[in-house]
Amino acid sequence: MHPIRQPIGVFDSGIGGLTVVKALMEDLPCESIVYFGDTARVPYGTKSKSTIVRFSLENVEFLLRFGVKCIVVACNTSSSLALPTLSRYFKVPIVGVIRPGALAAVRETQNKRIGVIGTRATINSKAYETAIHRIDPKVKVYSQSCPLFVPLVEEGWLNGDVCLNIANRYLDPLRQQSIDTLILGCTHYPLLTRTLRKVLGPDVVLVDSAKETVTEIRGVLMGSDSLCERRIKPRYRFFVTDEPHYFHDIGRRFLGRVVGSVERVNS
Ligand code: DGL
């Protein structure tokens, strides 16, 4: 198959990577996508580095069966802990979400005080901090893990008192540090934008890593002459490792449209 027609492979620990797929569908509408959600083993955010690396290697192996032209690690936790290993193991270009998010945040901040929120594994890895300091060592980074946000989003409690109270509790330490930019360092958090805005006020810039990642993917594909810009009808395929029903139902919230057919495969 000509590289232009080859699909882009995307993987996540489960459903959240659909926020990256949504951004891909919007910004690169001719590209076909193969999505793999490891729903049988989600969450990754509470697991150890060695486990996350092992799962991520297996996820890439699965996507390679479809002759993908590049792979997007949509999961912030996998990107934080496994990306260097994946890039060493495989020849196919692999794009994570950390560097694009860090670049956008450094571009946006005026007072050089950036907040980062993510799963425990992402925050403990300091991946965002490292990426930001590679770009600008003078920036101060304040990080906070928000483990309750993932179940809240999957439950659909995106607004309202419970969500607002939890967000206030998590974000108060960051607010005290006068951050002017916040990286939403987890696939699920863009769905909480309204609540996060209420807590932080209108002046703090919220950086959605998903959107920024698509810019990097475009660059990678242009660099290898494999960007699809022709009016070709794209094909979208979704694979999960557990019962597809839940993915199908909740996926709509993440994707902003009905998820097509979802196939179950063994993990
Ligand atoms: N996809 C994960 C992330 O972006 C969140 C869910 C999980 O913990 O696996 O970090």
Side-chain angles (χ1 to χ4, degrees):
M1 197 191 289
H2 192 281
I4 288 181
R5 305 291 298 265
Q6 284 172 261
I8 296 174
V10 180
F11 83 80
D12 178 51
S13 54
I15 207 163
L18 291 177
T19 51
V20 177
V21 173
K22 180 169 186 248
L24 266 174
M25 287 174 169
E26 283 165 6
D27 295 353
L28 301 177
C30 305
E31 298 290 353
S32 292
I33 298 167
V34 180
Y35 181 90
F36 178 77
D38 194 6
T39 49
R41 303 191 291 195
V42 72
Y44 284 10
T46 51
K47 297 197 167 65
S48 66
K49 178 173 177 175
S50 61
T51 299
I52 295 162
V53 170
R54 177 162 59 87
F55 290 172
S56 302
L57 286 164
E58 290 169 10
N59 300 346
V60 173
E61 299 272 11
F62 176 80
L63 287 170
L64 288 176
R65 291 190 216 158
F66 298 86
V68 294
K69 58 185 166 188
C70 80
I71 286 179
V72 185
V73 185
C75 178
N76 283 255
T77 305
S78 285
S79 292
S80 297
L81 291 142
L83 192 63
T85 310
L86 298 179
S87 305
R88 263 201 318 274
Y89 265 68
F90 300 102
K91 279 205 206 92
V92 66
I94 303 185
V95 175
V97 290
I98 307 299
R99 199 172 58 131
L103 274 168
V106 172
R107 193 176 65 224
E108 292 293 342
T109 184
Q110 303 285 318
N111 69 1
K112 294 195 183 283
R113 301 172 82 82
I114 296 175
V116 181
I117 53 176
T119 63
R120 277 215 178 92
T122 296
I123 296 306
N124 289 344
S125 76
K126 297 195 187 312
Y128 272 109
E129 213 166 311
T130 308
I132 290 169
H133 286 148
R134 259 192 213 130
I135 305 162
D136 184 346
K138 292 209 189 80
V139 171
K140 294 242 183 300
V141 183
Y142 302 95
S143 304
Q144 175 69 49
S145 62
C146 306
L148 293 176
F149 278 174
V150 167
L152 268 182
V153 169
E154 297 206 2
E155 198 58 31
W157 293 11
L158 309 179
N159 306 293
D161 287 354
V162 174
C163 187
L164 195 62
N165 281 340
I166 294 173
N168 261 312
R169 184 95 174 245
Y170 280 144
L171 297 179
D172 197 46
L174 301 181
R175 208 169 27 197
Q176 309 251 348
Q177 297 297 340
S178 310
I179 57 158
D180 72 349
T181 305
L182 178 70
I183 298 179
L184 311 184
C186 173
T187 46
H188 290 55
Y189 299 176
L191 279 85
L192 294 171
T193 298
R194 257 174 65 196
T195 295
L196 299 175
R197 266 256 149 278
K198 260 192 210 154
V199 172
L200 294 171
D203 296 333
V204 173
V205 177
L206 303 181
V207 173
D208 175 353
S209 298
K211 276 267 168 210
E212 303 301 330
T213 302
V214 175
T215 311
E216 178 148 338
I217 298 163
R218 179 192 289 278
V220 166
L221 297 180
M222 280 170 73
S224 56
D225 273 336
S226 56
L227 183 68
C228 182
E229 289 176 300
R230 288 192 230 138
R231 292 244 168 87
I232 301 170
K233 195 170 179 305
R235 181 170 187 208
Y236 302 131
R237 301 185 70 182
F238 299 92
F239 296 91
V240 292
T241 48
D242 197 6
E243 245 306 298
H245 280 305
Y246 178 76
F247 184 87
H248 201 268
D249 294 348
I250 312 287
R252 192 178 183 158
R253 195 179 300 144
F254 287 81
L255 199 58
R257 61 200 256 183
V258 177
V259 184
S261 75
V262 183
E263 292 168 56
R264 181 179 177 165
V265 290
N266 289 329
S267 54

